[in-house]
Amino acid sequence: MPLTQDQLDEITQLRGTARETLRATVPGMEAHLYTAHSVLDHGFIRVIDYMGDDAAICQAARVSYGKGTKSVQNDEGLIRYLMRHWHSTPFEMCELKLHVKLPVFVARQWIRHRTANVNEYSARYSILDREFYIPAPDDLAAQSVINNQGRGDVLEGEEAARVLEILKSDSTRAYDNYEAMISQDGPNGTQQAGLARELARMNLPANIYTQWYWKVDLHNLFHFLRLRADAHAQYEIRVYAEAMCKVVADWVPFAYKAFEDYRLGAVILSAQMVDGLRRMLAGGEVTQETSGLSAREWREFEGAIGGASAEN
Ligand SMILES: Cc1cc2nc3c(=O)[nH]c(=O)nc-3n(C[C@H](O)[C@H](O)[C@H](O)COP(=O)(O)OP(=O)(O)OC[C@H]3O[C@@H](n4cnc5c(N)ncnc54)[C@H](O)[C@@H]3O)c2cc1C
C-alpha cells in the first residue's frame, strides 16, 4: 500500500469519527469513505466525499419535495429510462470527490476530462516522493502491429529484463539528480541556495506519481468511465476507471447497472450498419462492398455484432 503509517492512522481516525446527518447516505459508500484502494504499484483512489444516491436522481427528475420515491422498482425503472433516453441532468445531481494518486503520464490523459474540478499536489511548493510507476512484467508489452495506439504481445526474457532495467535506472538517476539540484547542503558542511523546486521538477520522468483531489458529477463521471473503462483505453488509466466502477456500483447501484447496460456494454451502429443488419436479419447477403462501410468500419461492425459472419 502506497501510504505511510501516519497517513493510515489519519484515515483510521477519520473513519472512527461518525457524525449524524439528515442527508442521504449510502451504506456501501460509507464503507468506502477515506479508505485507499490500491491501483498500479504506488497509486490509489479513495472516496473523500459524495452527495446523493439513486433516490436523489429520481427526486431531481420528478422535482420532488420529499424522497420522490414511489417504490424501489419505480426508481429503477425511471433511472433506466433516463439513461436510455439521454436525459442526463438528473444524474448531475450526484457528486463524487476522490483523492487519486497516479503517474504523471496517466494524469495527462485524465486531465483532458474538463468537466471535473481538480486540485493537484504542488511540486512548486512540496518535494515529490521517490515513487515511479514500473510496469509489472505482464504489462510490459510490445508496440501493437495492428493498432498504432495500442500494445501487442508481452515482452519476455532478456528483452523484458533490459526494458525494466532502463526504466528503473533512469527513474533512480533522475530522482537522485532532482534531490541533488534542490539540496541546500553544499560541500564540506557549507550551505548553498539549491535550485527552486518548480524548476528542478522539469527533469523528472512522466512515470513519477502525482496526486489530486478530483470532484465530478455522476453524469460526467459516467462519460469518463465510458471512455476510460473501455477496452481501447490505455491499461494504466483503465485500471483506475475499473476501481472507480466498483465504487460507483456500491454508491448508485441502479444508475450503475443502467450505465453498464446502456453505455458500457452498448454499441453505437451507424445508419449504414443498421441497414446492413436489417438486410442480414431478412436473410440477405451483405458484404463490406455492398454495405457502404469502409474496411475499418466493417471490422468494427463485425466486432459489434459479436463476430457473427456478416456474409450469412
Ligand atoms: C481511446 C482514446 C484516445 C485518445 N487519443 C487522443 C489523442 O491522440 N490526442 C488527444 O489530444 N486526445 C486524445 N484523447 C482525448 C479525447 O480527445 C478527449 O479529450 C478526452 O477523452 C476527454 O473527453 P471529453 O472532451 O468528451 O470530456 P470532458 O472534457 O469531460 O467533456 C465532456 C463533454 O462536455 C462537452 N465539453 C466540455 N468542454 C467543452 C468545450 N470547451 N467545448 C464544447 N464542449 C465541451 C463535450 O460534449 C464533451 O464531450 C483520447 C481519448 C481516448 C478515450
Side-chain angles (χ1 to χ4, degrees), residues 4 12 24 48 50 83 96 108 110-111 158 165 186 192 234 241 254 259 264 266 274:
T4 63
T12 308
I48 298 301
Y50 68 100
M83 183 71 78
L96 178 65
R108 282 200 59 182
W110 196 308
I111 202 71
E158 276 181 26
E165 176 48 32
Q192 59 189 20
Q234 178 167 347
F254 291 159
F259 164 71
L264 205 53
V274 172

Side-chain angles (χ1 to χ4, degrees):
M1 175 60 69
L3 295 166
T4 63
Q5 193 53 51
D6 282 353
Q7 290 164 337
L8 289 170
D9 290 346
E10 272 188 70
I11 291 172
T12 308
Q13 201 183 349
L14 273 174
R15 288 197 53 82
T17 319
R19 300 183 190 93
E20 267 193 35
T21 179
L22 296 176
R23 294 165 50 204
T25 55
V26 179
M29 216 45 177
E30 295 294 304
H32 284 298
L33 259 182
Y34 312 128
T35 307
H37 298 291
S38 281
V39 187
L40 300 178
D41 50 358
H42 300 291
F44 60 71
I45 61 155
R46 50 186 210 108
V47 176
I48 298 301
D49 207 354
Y50 68 100
M51 182 175 84
D53 56 3
D54 273 330
I57 299 166
C58 301
Q59 216 179 2
R62 296 181 178 125
V63 193
S64 152
Y65 287 87
K67 265 188 89 188
T69 318
K70 289 188 178 139
S71 74
V72 171
Q73 284 84 354
N74 271 339
D75 273 6
E76 182 170 19
L78 174 58
I79 286 173
R80 293 182 71 80
Y81 176 88
L82 297 172
M83 183 71 78
R84 216 162 47 242
H85 295 278
W86 300 86
H87 184 171
S88 51
T89 42
F91 295 98
E92 293 173 19
M93 301 298 157
C94 295
E95 291 267 342
L96 178 65
K97 182 160 67 181
L98 295 175
H99 177 187
V100 187
K101 185 171 174 188
L102 69 177
V104 164
F105 72 94
V106 175
R108 282 200 59 182
Q109 294 189 334
W110 196 308
I111 202 71
R112 298 300 305 279
H113 296 264
R114 298 157 288 178
T115 41
N117 306 103
V118 188
N119 194 72
E120 187 173 6
Y121 184 87
S122 172
R124 296 182 70 189
Y125 183 82
S126 308
I127 299 174
L128 288 163
D129 291 332
R130 186 189 277 272
E131 283 178 329
F132 299 90
Y133 169 60
I134 305 292
D138 282 354
D139 303 322
L140 216 53
Q143 171 61 42
S144 167
V145 285
I146 48 167
N147 177 3
N148 285 341
Q149 223 176 25
R151 53 181 88 173
D153 294 338
V154 172
L155 295 183
E156 283 174 4
E158 276 181 26
E159 193 173 8
R162 178 182 68 90
V163 170
L164 274 178
E165 176 48 32
I166 291 173
L167 286 172
K168 285 178 189 165
S169 61
D170 278 4
S171 302
T172 304
R173 196 183 58 247
Y175 197 87
D176 287 347
N177 286 335
Y178 170 70
E179 278 188 325
M181 285 191 283
I182 60 177
S183 174
Q184 294 180 332
D185 297 333
N188 306 321
T190 57
Q191 285 282 296
Q192 59 189 20
L195 186 65
R197 291 165 191 168
E198 66 177 18
L199 283 170
R201 63 174 167 175
M202 71 182 162
N203 208 31
L204 290 167
N207 64 339
I208 195 163
Y209 275 83
T210 184
Q211 302 183 37
W212 57 38
Y213 267 39
W214 192 74
K215 182 171 74 65
V216 69
D217 67 58
L218 184 59
H219 166 64
N220 285 299
L221 177 58
F222 278 148
H223 180 67
F224 175 94
L225 296 176
R226 165 70 190 82
L227 294 172
R228 302 302 182 177
D230 184 84
H232 297 96
Q234 178 167 347
Y235 167 79
E236 282 76 16
I237 194 165
R238 197 168 72 233
V239 285
Y240 282 90
E242 286 168 354
M244 287 153 73
C245 281
K246 289 186 189 147
V247 168
V248 179
D250 290 337
W251 173 29
V252 280
F254 291 159
Y256 184 75
K257 182 73 176 78
F259 164 71
E260 273 190 328
D261 292 347
Y262 301 124
R263 299 282 187 279
L264 205 53
V267 290
I268 294 176
L269 298 181
S270 68
Q272 289 81 358
M273 289 174 182
V274 172
D275 178 58
L277 192 57
R278 284 192 178 132
R279 284 192 280 143
M280 280 180 208
L281 289 172
E285 186 185 312
V286 183
T287 63
Q288 189 229 314
E289 289 71 29
T290 63
S291 67
L293 299 171
S294 67
R296 186 167 189 170
E297 283 177 304
W298 181 255
R299 279 200 304 278
E300 289 170 5
F301 179 47
E302 285 186 308
I305 59 175
S309 170
E311 298 180 41
N312 68 2

